[in-house]
mmCIF file of all heavy atoms in Angstrom:
data_model
loop_
_atom_site.group_PDB
_atom_site.id
_atom_site.type_symbol
_atom_site.label_atom_id
_atom_site.label_comp_id
_atom_site.label_asym_id
_atom_site.label_seq_id
_atom_site.Cartn_x
_atom_site.Cartn_y
_atom_site.Cartn_z
ATOM 1 N N MET A 10 0.840 -1.177 0.000
ATOM 2 C CA MET A 10 0.000 0.000 0.000
ATOM 3 C C MET A 10 0.883 1.237 0.000
ATOM 4 O O MET A 10 1.821 1.355 0.769
ATOM 5 C CB MET A 10 -0.878 -0.021 1.244
ATOM 6 C CG MET A 10 -1.810 1.138 1.330
ATOM 7 S SD MET A 10 -2.966 0.833 2.671
ATOM 8 C CE MET A 10 -3.052 2.448 3.338
ATOM 9 N N LEU A 11 0.554 2.170 -0.878
ATOM 10 C CA LEU A 11 1.316 3.407 -0.990
ATOM 11 C C LEU A 11 0.898 4.370 0.116
ATOM 12 O O LEU A 11 -0.287 4.613 0.323
ATOM 13 C CB LEU A 11 1.050 4.051 -2.350
ATOM 14 C CG LEU A 11 1.758 5.346 -2.648
ATOM 15 C CD1 LEU A 11 3.271 5.137 -2.648
ATOM 16 C CD2 LEU A 11 1.315 5.885 -3.986
ATOM 17 N N VAL A 12 1.876 4.895 0.827
ATOM 18 C CA VAL A 12 1.606 5.859 1.890
ATOM 19 C C VAL A 12 2.019 7.237 1.395
ATOM 20 O O VAL A 12 3.144 7.435 0.966
ATOM 21 C CB VAL A 12 2.389 5.509 3.172
ATOM 22 C CG1 VAL A 12 2.154 6.556 4.241
ATOM 23 C CG2 VAL A 12 2.008 4.134 3.660
ATOM 24 N N ARG A 13 1.081 8.155 1.454
ATOM 25 C CA ARG A 13 1.371 9.517 1.013
ATOM 26 C C ARG A 13 1.572 10.406 2.227
ATOM 27 O O ARG A 13 0.777 10.372 3.153
ATOM 28 C CB ARG A 13 0.217 10.052 0.176
ATOM 29 C CG ARG A 13 0.095 9.343 -1.143
ATOM 30 C CD ARG A 13 -0.910 10.076 -2.022
ATOM 31 N NE ARG A 13 -0.927 9.492 -3.335
ATOM 32 C CZ ARG A 13 -1.896 8.718 -3.800
ATOM 33 N NH1 ARG A 13 -2.933 8.434 -3.067
ATOM 34 N NH2 ARG A 13 -1.835 8.226 -5.017
ATOM 35 N N PRO A 14 2.580 11.240 2.204
ATOM 36 C CA PRO A 14 2.802 12.137 3.338
ATOM 37 C C PRO A 14 1.745 13.234 3.379
ATOM 38 O O PRO A 14 1.196 13.624 2.351
ATOM 39 C CB PRO A 14 4.174 12.730 3.062
ATOM 40 C CG PRO A 14 4.345 12.631 1.588
ATOM 41 C CD PRO A 14 3.585 11.393 1.161
ATOM 42 N N ASP A 15 1.433 13.713 4.577
ATOM 43 C CA ASP A 15 0.477 14.803 4.727
ATOM 44 C C ASP A 15 1.104 16.157 4.403
ATOM 45 O O ASP A 15 0.409 17.124 4.178
ATOM 46 C CB ASP A 15 -0.069 14.848 6.160
ATOM 47 C CG ASP A 15 -1.022 13.687 6.420
ATOM 48 O OD1 ASP A 15 -1.601 13.166 5.454
ATOM 49 O OD2 ASP A 15 -1.173 13.324 7.592
ATOM 50 N N THR A 16 2.425 16.203 4.387
ATOM 51 C CA THR A 16 3.116 17.451 4.108
ATOM 52 C C THR A 16 3.178 17.691 2.603
ATOM 53 O O THR A 16 3.534 16.801 1.849
ATOM 54 C CB THR A 16 4.565 17.408 4.620
ATOM 55 O OG1 THR A 16 4.744 16.329 5.475
ATOM 56 C CG2 THR A 16 4.946 18.664 5.287
ATOM 57 N N PRO A 17 2.824 18.912 2.181
ATOM 58 C CA PRO A 17 2.902 19.202 0.744
ATOM 59 C C PRO A 17 4.348 19.283 0.270
ATOM 60 O O PRO A 17 5.252 19.504 1.071
ATOM 61 C CB PRO A 17 2.217 20.563 0.623
ATOM 62 C CG PRO A 17 2.205 21.140 1.976
ATOM 63 C CD PRO A 17 2.306 20.010 2.953
ATOM 64 N N PRO A 18 4.583 19.090 -1.030
ATOM 65 C CA PRO A 18 5.934 19.226 -1.567
ATOM 66 C C PRO A 18 6.481 20.632 -1.304
ATOM 67 O O PRO A 18 5.716 21.571 -1.091
ATOM 68 C CB PRO A 18 5.766 18.988 -3.062
ATOM 69 C CG PRO A 18 4.385 18.550 -3.284
ATOM 70 C CD PRO A 18 3.607 18.771 -2.041
ATOM 71 N N ALA A 19 7.776 20.769 -1.351
ATOM 72 C CA ALA A 19 8.426 22.049 -1.031
ATOM 73 C C ALA A 19 7.916 23.191 -1.905
ATOM 74 O O ALA A 19 7.648 24.275 -1.419
ATOM 75 C CB ALA A 19 9.933 21.903 -1.166
ATOM 76 N N ASP A 20 7.758 22.960 -3.194
ATOM 77 C CA ASP A 20 7.316 24.029 -4.096
ATOM 78 C C ASP A 20 5.883 23.786 -4.552
ATOM 79 O O ASP A 20 5.577 23.796 -5.740
ATOM 80 C CB ASP A 20 8.259 24.142 -5.286
ATOM 81 C CG ASP A 20 7.965 25.388 -6.124
ATOM 82 O OD1 ASP A 20 7.372 26.342 -5.569
ATOM 83 O OD2 ASP A 20 8.307 25.394 -7.311
ATOM 84 N N VAL A 21 5.009 23.559 -3.587
ATOM 85 C CA VAL A 21 3.619 23.250 -3.919
ATOM 86 C C VAL A 21 2.936 24.437 -4.605
ATOM 87 O O VAL A 21 2.094 24.244 -5.477
ATOM 88 C CB VAL A 21 2.843 22.783 -2.666
ATOM 89 C CG1 VAL A 21 2.602 23.908 -1.698
ATOM 90 C CG2 VAL A 21 1.543 22.118 -3.051
ATOM 91 N N VAL A 22 3.320 25.650 -4.255
ATOM 92 C CA VAL A 22 2.726 26.824 -4.902
ATOM 93 C C VAL A 22 3.118 26.846 -6.379
ATOM 94 O O VAL A 22 2.283 27.102 -7.242
ATOM 95 C CB VAL A 22 3.143 28.129 -4.183
ATOM 96 C CG1 VAL A 22 2.672 29.356 -4.955
ATOM 97 C CG2 VAL A 22 2.573 28.153 -2.766
ATOM 98 N N GLY A 23 4.379 26.544 -6.678
ATOM 99 C CA GLY A 23 4.827 26.488 -8.068
ATOM 100 C C GLY A 23 4.086 25.428 -8.862
ATOM 101 O O GLY A 23 3.707 25.655 -10.017
ATOM 102 N N LEU A 24 3.847 24.281 -8.236
ATOM 103 C CA LEU A 24 3.095 23.224 -8.908
ATOM 104 C C LEU A 24 1.649 23.655 -9.162
ATOM 105 O O LEU A 24 1.095 23.406 -10.239
ATOM 106 C CB LEU A 24 3.125 21.943 -8.078
ATOM 107 C CG LEU A 24 4.469 21.243 -7.959
ATOM 108 C CD1 LEU A 24 4.393 20.095 -6.957
ATOM 109 C CD2 LEU A 24 4.925 20.736 -9.315
ATOM 110 N N ALA A 25 1.037 24.297 -8.179
ATOM 111 C CA ALA A 25 -0.335 24.771 -8.343
ATOM 112 C C ALA A 25 -0.415 25.822 -9.449
ATOM 113 O O ALA A 25 -1.370 25.833 -10.236
ATOM 114 C CB ALA A 25 -0.862 25.342 -7.034
ATOM 115 N N LEU A 26 0.588 26.680 -9.531
ATOM 116 C CA LEU A 26 0.607 27.688 -10.591
ATOM 117 C C LEU A 26 0.731 27.028 -11.967
ATOM 118 O O LEU A 26 0.144 27.503 -12.944
ATOM 119 C CB LEU A 26 1.731 28.694 -10.363
ATOM 120 C CG LEU A 26 1.533 29.616 -9.150
ATOM 121 C CD1 LEU A 26 2.771 30.473 -8.935
ATOM 122 C CD2 LEU A 26 0.291 30.467 -9.287
ATOM 123 N N LYS A 27 1.452 25.910 -12.047
ATOM 124 C CA LYS A 27 1.537 25.160 -13.315
ATOM 125 C C LYS A 27 0.185 24.573 -13.679
ATOM 126 O O LYS A 27 -0.203 24.559 -14.850
ATOM 127 C CB LYS A 27 2.580 24.048 -13.209
ATOM 128 C CG LYS A 27 3.992 24.546 -13.256
ATOM 129 C CD LYS A 27 4.976 23.395 -13.228
ATOM 130 C CE LYS A 27 6.404 23.887 -13.248
ATOM 131 N NZ LYS A 27 7.362 22.786 -13.240
ATOM 132 N N VAL A 28 -0.540 24.080 -12.680
ATOM 133 C CA VAL A 28 -1.889 23.544 -12.921
ATOM 134 C C VAL A 28 -2.797 24.654 -13.450
ATOM 135 O O VAL A 28 -3.535 24.461 -14.417
ATOM 136 C CB VAL A 28 -2.475 22.926 -11.630
ATOM 137 C CG1 VAL A 28 -3.948 22.598 -11.804
ATOM 138 C CG2 VAL A 28 -1.694 21.689 -11.228
ATOM 139 N N LEU A 29 -2.740 25.816 -12.808
ATOM 140 C CA LEU A 29 -3.564 26.934 -13.247
ATOM 141 C C LEU A 29 -3.156 27.408 -14.642
ATOM 142 O O LEU A 29 -4.008 27.792 -15.450
ATOM 143 C CB LEU A 29 -3.492 28.079 -12.234
ATOM 144 C CG LEU A 29 -4.125 27.760 -10.872
ATOM 145 C CD1 LEU A 29 -3.836 28.880 -9.884
ATOM 146 C CD2 LEU A 29 -5.618 27.525 -11.001
ATOM 147 N N ALA A 30 -1.867 27.349 -14.944
ATOM 148 C CA ALA A 30 -1.393 27.720 -16.283
ATOM 149 C C ALA A 30 -1.962 26.766 -17.332
ATOM 150 O O ALA A 30 -2.330 27.192 -18.430
ATOM 151 C CB ALA A 30 0.128 27.722 -16.332
ATOM 152 N N ALA A 31 -2.066 25.504 -16.980
ATOM 153 C CA ALA A 31 -2.648 24.526 -17.901
ATOM 154 C C ALA A 31 -4.119 24.823 -18.162
ATOM 155 O O ALA A 31 -4.673 24.424 -19.191
ATOM 156 C CB ALA A 31 -2.481 23.113 -17.345
ATOM 157 N N GLN A 32 -4.749 25.535 -17.240
ATOM 158 C CA GLN A 32 -6.151 25.920 -17.397
ATOM 159 C C GLN A 32 -6.294 27.285 -18.070
ATOM 160 O O GLN A 32 -7.397 27.790 -18.226
ATOM 161 C CB GLN A 32 -6.840 25.956 -16.024
ATOM 162 C CG GLN A 32 -6.883 24.615 -15.338
ATOM 163 C CD GLN A 32 -7.659 23.600 -16.145
ATOM 164 O OE1 GLN A 32 -8.752 23.885 -16.634
ATOM 165 N NE2 GLN A 32 -7.112 22.412 -16.303
ATOM 166 N N GLY A 33 -5.169 27.898 -18.436
ATOM 167 C CA GLY A 33 -5.205 29.148 -19.178
ATOM 168 C C GLY A 33 -4.846 30.387 -18.376
ATOM 169 O O GLY A 33 -4.855 31.482 -18.922
ATOM 170 N N LEU A 34 -4.555 30.235 -17.088
ATOM 171 C CA LEU A 34 -4.156 31.387 -16.270
ATOM 172 C C LEU A 34 -2.646 31.406 -16.163
ATOM 173 O O LEU A 34 -2.031 30.423 -15.791
ATOM 174 C CB LEU A 34 -4.768 31.292 -14.868
ATOM 175 C CG LEU A 34 -6.277 31.415 -14.792
ATOM 176 C CD1 LEU A 34 -6.740 31.115 -13.379
ATOM 177 C CD2 LEU A 34 -6.717 32.798 -15.203
ATOM 178 N N ARG A 35 -2.054 32.538 -16.445
ATOM 179 C CA ARG A 35 -0.596 32.631 -16.401
ATOM 180 C C ARG A 35 -0.150 33.821 -15.564
ATOM 181 O O ARG A 35 -0.867 34.795 -15.409
ATOM 182 C CB ARG A 35 -0.041 32.781 -17.812
ATOM 183 C CG ARG A 35 -0.446 31.642 -18.715
ATOM 184 C CD ARG A 35 0.542 31.433 -19.839
ATOM 185 N NE ARG A 35 0.056 30.502 -20.844
ATOM 186 C CZ ARG A 35 0.009 29.191 -20.674
ATOM 187 N NH1 ARG A 35 0.393 28.658 -19.562
ATOM 188 N NH2 ARG A 35 -0.437 28.400 -21.633
ATOM 189 N N GLY A 36 1.040 33.708 -15.034
ATOM 190 C CA GLY A 36 1.683 34.813 -14.319
ATOM 191 C C GLY A 36 0.869 35.346 -13.160
ATOM 192 O O GLY A 36 0.408 34.605 -12.300
ATOM 193 N N GLU A 37 0.685 36.666 -13.159
ATOM 194 C CA GLU A 37 -0.016 37.332 -12.066
ATOM 195 C C GLU A 37 -1.479 36.900 -11.976
ATOM 196 O O GLU A 37 -2.049 36.873 -10.891
ATOM 197 C CB GLU A 37 0.078 38.853 -12.223
ATOM 198 C CG GLU A 37 1.451 39.399 -11.887
ATOM 199 C CD GLU A 37 1.884 39.050 -10.473
ATOM 200 O OE1 GLU A 37 1.096 39.235 -9.526
ATOM 201 O OE2 GLU A 37 3.025 38.578 -10.314
ATOM 202 N N ALA A 38 -2.090 36.561 -13.106
ATOM 203 C CA ALA A 38 -3.487 36.111 -13.087
ATOM 204 C C ALA A 38 -3.618 34.794 -12.313
ATOM 205 O O ALA A 38 -4.544 34.612 -11.527
ATOM 206 C CB ALA A 38 -4.021 35.946 -14.504
ATOM 207 N N ALA A 39 -2.671 33.885 -12.516
ATOM 208 C CA ALA A 39 -2.690 32.605 -11.807
ATOM 209 C C ALA A 39 -2.451 32.818 -10.319
ATOM 210 O O ALA A 39 -3.140 32.236 -9.478
ATOM 211 C CB ALA A 39 -1.634 31.669 -12.385
ATOM 212 N N ARG A 40 -1.493 33.669 -9.982
ATOM 213 C CA ARG A 40 -1.205 33.939 -8.570
ATOM 214 C C ARG A 40 -2.399 34.610 -7.897
ATOM 215 O O ARG A 40 -2.776 34.275 -6.787
ATOM 216 C CB ARG A 40 0.044 34.808 -8.425
ATOM 217 C CG ARG A 40 0.421 35.022 -6.977
ATOM 218 C CD ARG A 40 1.828 35.531 -6.810
ATOM 219 N NE ARG A 40 2.867 34.593 -7.177
ATOM 220 C CZ ARG A 40 3.255 33.571 -6.426
ATOM 221 N NH1 ARG A 40 2.674 33.328 -5.288
ATOM 222 N NH2 ARG A 40 4.217 32.775 -6.830
ATOM 223 N N ALA A 41 -3.035 35.554 -8.585
ATOM 224 C CA ALA A 41 -4.205 36.232 -8.032
ATOM 225 C C ALA A 41 -5.352 35.250 -7.823
ATOM 226 O O ALA A 41 -6.064 35.314 -6.812
ATOM 227 C CB ALA A 41 -4.635 37.374 -8.948
ATOM 228 N N ALA A 42 -5.536 34.330 -8.771
ATOM 229 C CA ALA A 42 -6.591 33.324 -8.638
ATOM 230 C C ALA A 42 -6.316 32.413 -7.445
ATOM 231 O O ALA A 42 -7.239 32.096 -6.667
ATOM 232 C CB ALA A 42 -6.704 32.502 -9.918
ATOM 233 N N LEU A 43 -5.081 32.000 -7.279
ATOM 234 C CA LEU A 43 -4.711 31.143 -6.150
ATOM 235 C C LEU A 43 -4.949 31.868 -4.829
ATOM 236 O O LEU A 43 -5.530 31.298 -3.895
ATOM 237 C CB LEU A 43 -3.247 30.711 -6.275
ATOM 238 C CG LEU A 43 -2.682 29.860 -5.148
ATOM 239 C CD1 LEU A 43 -3.483 28.579 -4.970
ATOM 240 C CD2 LEU A 43 -1.220 29.546 -5.417
ATOM 241 N N GLU A 44 -4.545 33.126 -4.757
ATOM 242 C CA GLU A 44 -4.740 33.900 -3.532
ATOM 243 C C GLU A 44 -6.227 34.126 -3.254
ATOM 244 O O GLU A 44 -6.664 34.053 -2.105
ATOM 245 C CB GLU A 44 -4.000 35.234 -3.627
ATOM 246 C CG GLU A 44 -2.502 35.059 -3.567
ATOM 247 C CD GLU A 44 -1.719 36.327 -3.845
ATOM 248 O OE1 GLU A 44 -2.337 37.383 -4.112
ATOM 249 O OE2 GLU A 44 -0.475 36.258 -3.802
ATOM 250 N N ALA A 45 -7.022 34.352 -4.299
ATOM 251 C CA ALA A 45 -8.463 34.537 -4.120
ATOM 252 C C ALA A 45 -9.124 33.253 -3.628
ATOM 253 O O ALA A 45 -9.996 33.285 -2.743
ATOM 254 C CB ALA A 45 -9.097 35.003 -5.431
ATOM 255 N N MET A 46 -8.721 32.119 -4.203
ATOM 256 C CA MET A 46 -9.275 30.827 -3.758
ATOM 257 C C MET A 46 -8.956 30.583 -2.285
ATOM 258 O O MET A 46 -9.813 30.137 -1.525
ATOM 259 C CB MET A 46 -8.712 29.682 -4.604
ATOM 260 C CG MET A 46 -9.314 29.580 -5.974
ATOM 261 S SD MET A 46 -8.733 28.099 -6.836
ATOM 262 C CE MET A 46 -7.363 28.777 -7.741
ATOM 263 N N ALA A 47 -7.731 30.870 -1.905
ATOM 264 C CA ALA A 47 -7.325 30.672 -0.513
ATOM 265 C C ALA A 47 -8.110 31.592 0.414
ATOM 266 O O ALA A 47 -8.609 31.161 1.463
ATOM 267 C CB ALA A 47 -5.826 30.929 -0.366
ATOM 268 N N ARG A 48 -8.266 32.846 0.023
ATOM 269 C CA ARG A 48 -8.993 33.815 0.835
ATOM 270 C C ARG A 48 -10.458 33.403 0.996
ATOM 271 O O ARG A 48 -11.016 33.458 2.086
ATOM 272 C CB ARG A 48 -8.880 35.196 0.195
ATOM 273 C CG ARG A 48 -9.300 36.335 1.060
ATOM 274 C CD ARG A 48 -8.965 37.705 0.475
ATOM 275 N NE ARG A 48 -9.155 37.833 -0.965
ATOM 276 C CZ ARG A 48 -8.162 37.874 -1.856
ATOM 277 N NH1 ARG A 48 -6.910 37.789 -1.468
ATOM 278 N NH2 ARG A 48 -8.417 38.001 -3.137
ATOM 279 N N GLU A 49 -11.095 32.960 -0.101
ATOM 280 C CA GLU A 49 -12.499 32.545 -0.056
ATOM 281 C C GLU A 49 -12.705 31.355 0.879
ATOM 282 O O GLU A 49 -13.755 31.224 1.500
ATOM 283 C CB GLU A 49 -12.986 32.165 -1.450
ATOM 284 C CG GLU A 49 -13.170 33.346 -2.369
ATOM 285 C CD GLU A 49 -13.445 32.923 -3.800
ATOM 286 O OE1 GLU A 49 -13.510 31.706 -4.092
ATOM 287 O OE2 GLU A 49 -13.593 33.821 -4.641
ATOM 288 N N ARG A 50 -11.707 30.487 0.950
ATOM 289 C CA ARG A 50 -11.825 29.281 1.775
ATOM 290 C C ARG A 50 -11.259 29.476 3.180
ATOM 291 O O ARG A 50 -11.323 28.574 4.005
ATOM 292 C CB ARG A 50 -11.125 28.117 1.081
ATOM 293 C CG ARG A 50 -11.899 27.657 -0.136
ATOM 294 C CD ARG A 50 -11.041 26.872 -1.096
ATOM 295 N NE ARG A 50 -11.789 26.422 -2.249
ATOM 296 C CZ ARG A 50 -12.132 27.183 -3.284
ATOM 297 N NH1 ARG A 50 -11.813 28.462 -3.297
ATOM 298 N NH2 ARG A 50 -12.798 26.680 -4.304
ATOM 299 N N GLY A 51 -10.650 30.621 3.418
ATOM 300 C CA GLY A 51 -10.056 30.888 4.726
ATOM 301 C C GLY A 51 -8.840 30.028 5.013
ATOM 302 O O GLY A 51 -8.592 29.640 6.152
ATOM 303 N N LEU A 52 -8.081 29.717 3.966
ATOM 304 C CA LEU A 52 -6.898 28.866 4.086
ATOM 305 C C LEU A 52 -5.643 29.647 3.732
ATOM 306 O O LEU A 52 -5.705 30.613 2.960
ATOM 307 C CB LEU A 52 -7.000 27.681 3.110
ATOM 308 C CG LEU A 52 -8.135 26.703 3.322
ATOM 309 C CD1 LEU A 52 -8.210 25.750 2.146
ATOM 310 C CD2 LEU A 52 -7.941 25.950 4.612
ATOM 311 N N PRO A 53 -4.502 29.201 4.247
ATOM 312 C CA PRO A 53 -3.241 29.784 3.770
ATOM 313 C C PRO A 53 -3.045 29.419 2.287
ATOM 314 O O PRO A 53 -3.540 28.386 1.819
ATOM 315 C CB PRO A 53 -2.173 29.101 4.624
ATOM 316 C CG PRO A 53 -2.886 28.455 5.753
ATOM 317 C CD PRO A 53 -4.293 28.224 5.310
ATOM 318 N N VAL A 54 -2.352 30.270 1.568
ATOM 319 C CA VAL A 54 -2.125 30.042 0.137
ATOM 320 C C VAL A 54 -1.456 28.692 -0.100
ATOM 321 O O VAL A 54 -1.837 27.952 -1.016
ATOM 322 C CB VAL A 54 -1.292 31.195 -0.476
ATOM 323 C CG1 VAL A 54 -0.875 30.875 -1.898
ATOM 324 C CG2 VAL A 54 -2.084 32.490 -0.438
ATOM 325 N N LYS A 55 -0.472 28.347 0.725
ATOM 326 C CA LYS A 55 0.253 27.086 0.536
ATOM 327 C C LYS A 55 -0.686 25.884 0.696
ATOM 328 O O LYS A 55 -0.586 24.907 -0.050
ATOM 329 C CB LYS A 55 1.416 27.001 1.521
ATOM 330 C CG LYS A 55 2.394 25.916 1.183
ATOM 331 C CD LYS A 55 3.658 26.053 1.992
ATOM 332 C CE LYS A 55 4.666 25.015 1.547
ATOM 333 N NZ LYS A 55 5.940 25.175 2.214
ATOM 334 N N ARG A 56 -1.621 25.942 1.644
ATOM 335 C CA ARG A 56 -2.561 24.834 1.849
ATOM 336 C C ARG A 56 -3.534 24.724 0.672
ATOM 337 O O ARG A 56 -3.850 23.643 0.204
ATOM 338 C CB ARG A 56 -3.325 25.034 3.166
ATOM 339 C CG ARG A 56 -4.350 23.972 3.425
ATOM 340 C CD ARG A 56 -3.690 22.618 3.659
ATOM 341 N NE ARG A 56 -4.719 21.618 3.846
ATOM 342 C CZ ARG A 56 -4.727 20.428 3.265
ATOM 343 N NH1 ARG A 56 -3.728 20.065 2.494
ATOM 344 N NH2 ARG A 56 -5.706 19.587 3.474
ATOM 345 N N CYS A 57 -4.003 25.862 0.182
ATOM 346 C CA CYS A 57 -4.898 25.860 -0.975
ATOM 347 C C CYS A 57 -4.169 25.299 -2.200
ATOM 348 O O CYS A 57 -4.731 24.521 -2.968
ATOM 349 C CB CYS A 57 -5.406 27.270 -1.239
ATOM 350 S SG CYS A 57 -6.729 27.340 -2.456
ATOM 351 N N ALA A 58 -2.915 25.690 -2.362
ATOM 352 C CA ALA A 58 -2.111 25.162 -3.468
ATOM 353 C C ALA A 58 -1.964 23.652 -3.350
ATOM 354 O O ALA A 58 -2.065 22.926 -4.341
ATOM 355 C CB ALA A 58 -0.740 25.830 -3.481
ATOM 356 N N ALA A 59 -1.763 23.158 -2.134
ATOM 357 C CA ALA A 59 -1.635 21.713 -1.921
ATOM 358 C C ALA A 59 -2.926 20.995 -2.302
ATOM 359 O O ALA A 59 -2.886 19.896 -2.865
ATOM 360 C CB ALA A 59 -1.278 21.428 -0.461
ATOM 361 N N LEU A 60 -4.068 21.610 -2.027
ATOM 362 C CA LEU A 60 -5.351 21.001 -2.405
ATOM 363 C C LEU A 60 -5.513 20.942 -3.917
ATOM 364 O O LEU A 60 -6.024 19.954 -4.453
ATOM 365 C CB LEU A 60 -6.506 21.774 -1.771
ATOM 366 C CG LEU A 60 -6.632 21.639 -0.259
ATOM 367 C CD1 LEU A 60 -7.693 22.597 0.266
ATOM 368 C CD2 LEU A 60 -6.964 20.201 0.121
ATOM 369 N N ILE A 61 -5.072 21.981 -4.612
ATOM 370 C CA ILE A 61 -5.145 21.990 -6.076
ATOM 371 C C ILE A 61 -4.283 20.875 -6.644
ATOM 372 O O ILE A 61 -4.714 20.100 -7.505
ATOM 373 C CB ILE A 61 -4.699 23.357 -6.633
ATOM 374 C CG1 ILE A 61 -5.726 24.423 -6.267
ATOM 375 C CG2 ILE A 61 -4.481 23.296 -8.145
ATOM 376 C CD1 ILE A 61 -5.271 25.839 -6.568
ATOM 377 N N VAL A 62 -3.057 20.770 -6.148
ATOM 378 C CA VAL A 62 -2.134 19.742 -6.634
ATOM 379 C C VAL A 62 -2.673 18.350 -6.307
ATOM 380 O O VAL A 62 -2.645 17.445 -7.147
ATOM 381 C CB VAL A 62 -0.725 19.951 -6.042
ATOM 382 C CG1 VAL A 62 0.186 18.787 -6.367
ATOM 383 C CG2 VAL A 62 -0.131 21.262 -6.554
ATOM 384 N N ALA A 63 -3.215 18.172 -5.115
ATOM 385 C CA ALA A 63 -3.757 16.871 -4.725
ATOM 386 C C ALA A 63 -4.962 16.492 -5.586
ATOM 387 O O ALA A 63 -5.126 15.327 -5.966
ATOM 388 C CB ALA A 63 -4.165 16.894 -3.249
ATOM 389 N N ALA A 64 -5.793 17.480 -5.931
ATOM 390 C CA ALA A 64 -6.955 17.195 -6.781
ATOM 391 C C ALA A 64 -6.527 16.716 -8.159
ATOM 392 O O ALA A 64 -7.086 15.764 -8.706
ATOM 393 C CB ALA A 64 -7.824 18.445 -6.889
ATOM 394 N N VAL A 65 -5.500 17.334 -8.704
ATOM 395 C CA VAL A 65 -4.998 16.923 -10.022
ATOM 396 C C VAL A 65 -4.336 15.553 -9.936
ATOM 397 O O VAL A 65 -4.439 14.744 -10.839
ATOM 398 C CB VAL A 65 -4.020 17.985 -10.569
ATOM 399 C CG1 VAL A 65 -3.305 17.483 -11.809
ATOM 400 C CG2 VAL A 65 -4.759 19.271 -10.859
ATOM 401 N N ASP A 66 -3.724 15.302 -8.801
ATOM 402 C CA ASP A 66 -3.037 14.021 -8.582
ATOM 403 C C ASP A 66 -4.023 12.894 -8.238
ATOM 404 O O ASP A 66 -3.643 11.747 -8.138
ATOM 405 C CB ASP A 66 -2.017 14.198 -7.444
ATOM 406 C CG ASP A 66 -1.008 13.075 -7.381
ATOM 407 O OD1 ASP A 66 -0.708 12.478 -8.428
ATOM 408 O OD2 ASP A 66 -0.540 12.796 -6.269
ATOM 409 N N GLY A 67 -5.291 13.260 -8.033
ATOM 410 C CA GLY A 67 -6.316 12.260 -7.751
ATOM 411 C C GLY A 67 -6.398 11.844 -6.293
ATOM 412 O O GLY A 67 -6.934 10.795 -5.977
ATOM 413 N N ARG A 68 -5.920 12.676 -5.404
ATOM 414 C CA ARG A 68 -5.929 12.311 -3.984
ATOM 415 C C ARG A 68 -7.053 12.970 -3.195
ATOM 416 O O ARG A 68 -7.151 12.813 -1.998
ATOM 417 C CB ARG A 68 -4.597 12.671 -3.328
ATOM 418 C CG ARG A 68 -3.461 11.814 -3.829
ATOM 419 C CD ARG A 68 -2.219 12.107 -3.084
ATOM 420 N NE ARG A 68 -1.598 13.306 -3.633
ATOM 421 C CZ ARG A 68 -0.646 13.981 -3.041
ATOM 422 N NH1 ARG A 68 -0.216 13.637 -1.871
ATOM 423 N NH2 ARG A 68 -0.127 15.044 -3.610
ATOM 424 N N VAL A 69 -7.890 13.754 -3.856
ATOM 425 C CA VAL A 69 -8.983 14.443 -3.153
ATOM 426 C C VAL A 69 -10.310 13.897 -3.667
ATOM 427 O O VAL A 69 -10.504 13.732 -4.850
ATOM 428 C CB VAL A 69 -8.902 15.965 -3.396
ATOM 429 C CG1 VAL A 69 -10.096 16.674 -2.787
ATOM 430 C CG2 VAL A 69 -7.618 16.515 -2.832
ATOM 431 N N ASN A 70 -11.206 13.619 -2.740
ATOM 432 C CA ASN A 70 -12.538 13.105 -3.145
ATOM 433 C C ASN A 70 -13.420 14.221 -3.606
ATOM 434 O O ASN A 70 -13.406 15.288 -3.180
ATOM 435 C CB ASN A 70 -13.200 12.409 -1.955
ATOM 436 C CG ASN A 70 -12.418 11.178 -1.549
ATOM 437 O OD1 ASN A 70 -11.729 10.599 -2.358
ATOM 438 N ND2 ASN A 70 -12.513 10.819 -0.299
#
């Protein structure tokens, strides 16, 4: 059984920005979208980025 760590990768924000870029948001637009998502959910940006990366990786229900 594969065990996944609860800690996000070191550059999870960079990975999340790549995901957003794949959806058509680049540069400041992607960063602003990430910050807005985090603010709306009341989460730190790094945690919100980890959720985006985990969703793409198939680890979020």
Side-chain angles (χ1 to χ4, degrees):
M10 181 170 140
L11 180 62
V12 177
R13 292 190 174 106
D15 288 336
T16 346
D20 189 23
V21 71
V22 173
L24 292 172
L26 291 174
K27 285 183 181 181
V28 170
L29 293 172
Q32 297 299 314
L34 293 172
R35 302 206 190 285
E37 286 302 312
R40 184 164 292 283
L43 178 58
E44 290 172 359
M46 284 186 266
R48 193 171 39 254
E49 288 171 1
R50 289 160 179 77
L52 297 171
V54 172
K55 194 168 185 175
R56 178 66 182 134
C57 190
L60 290 172
I61 291 170
V62 172
V65 170
D66 195 29
R68 292 185 279 166
V69 175
N70 295 334

